[in-house]
Amino acid sequence: TLRNLSVREGNDVKMAVEGALPPLIALLSHPSTEVQLHACGAIRNLSVNDENKVKIARDVGLRPLIELLSSTVMEIQEQAVIALRNLCANAENQAKVVQEGVLPPLIGMLRAFEENLQMLAAACLRNVALDAQNKLVVVET
């Protein structure tokens, strides 16, 4: 699967260059949660690459990932929050995710039953708050 291919060294760049990001981003909104899970997992893997961080945000990948934070499937939530955490290691993306509405679902995830989701949400919030302007927004939310 593309998710498995995205883990192999060097494939992260090749997949992005060959145009895999836009279709993967589109699959995040697919009606099948199984498809969403695999697309989100692939994007999570691709989001480790610095160039892909910019491309995913540019290709309008932030909003679908943010929406998946509210999925009823915990594994999808995990993949989405890890992808967003990775994307927020990029300074430009830190402001963009706040503009796209990441804070309410992310803060809600801090109250999740699963401790792992709480930890992942906290890590993502840490990256979001690296932006000086976001620090105040995070506290006020």
Side-chain angles (χ1 to χ4, degrees), residues 90-101:
N90 174 282
E92 290 179 26
N93 290 344
Q94 293 162 3
K96 288 179 183 177
V97 294
V98 170
Q99 292 167 355
E100 291 288 333

Side-chain angles (χ1 to χ4, degrees), residues 1-8 11 15 19-21 23-24 27 38-39 41-43 45-46:
T1 66
L2 287 177
R3 183 178 178 182
N4 292 338
L5 287 173
S6 66
V7 175
R8 295 188 149 207
N11 282 352
M15 289 174 71
L21 290 174
L24 283 170
L27 290 173
H38 289 289
I43 289 174
N45 295 338
L46 296 173

Side-chain angles (χ1 to χ4, degrees), residues 20-98:
L21 290 174
L24 283 170
I25 291 167
L27 290 173
L28 295 174
S29 301
H30 194 278
S32 165
T33 56
E34 187 74 19
V35 172
Q36 290 174 357
L37 177 63
H38 289 289
C40 200
I43 289 174
R44 170 207 172 168
N45 295 338
L46 296 173
S47 68
V48 174
N49 177 280
D50 288 336
E51 291 176 23
N52 288 346
K53 286 175 174 60
V54 174
K55 290 177 183 175
I56 292 167
R58 184 195 64 219
D59 290 344
V60 197
L62 298 177
R63 167 62 56 193
L65 287 168
I66 292 168
E67 290 173 359
L68 289 178
L69 294 177
S70 301
S71 172
T72 58
V73 180
M74 187 184 72
E75 292 86 359
I76 293 174
Q77 291 177 341
E78 287 176 351
Q79 297 299 314
V81 73
I82 293 169
L84 286 164
R85 180 200 65 198
N86 293 345
L87 293 170
C88 287
N90 174 282
E92 290 179 26
N93 290 344
Q94 293 162 3
K96 288 179 183 177
V97 294
V98 170

Side-chain angles (χ1 to χ4, degrees), residues 121-135:
C124 187
L125 272 173
R126 180 191 66 84
N127 283 357
V128 169
L130 291 173
D131 179 274
Q133 293 180 356
N134 285 350
K135 287 179 184 177

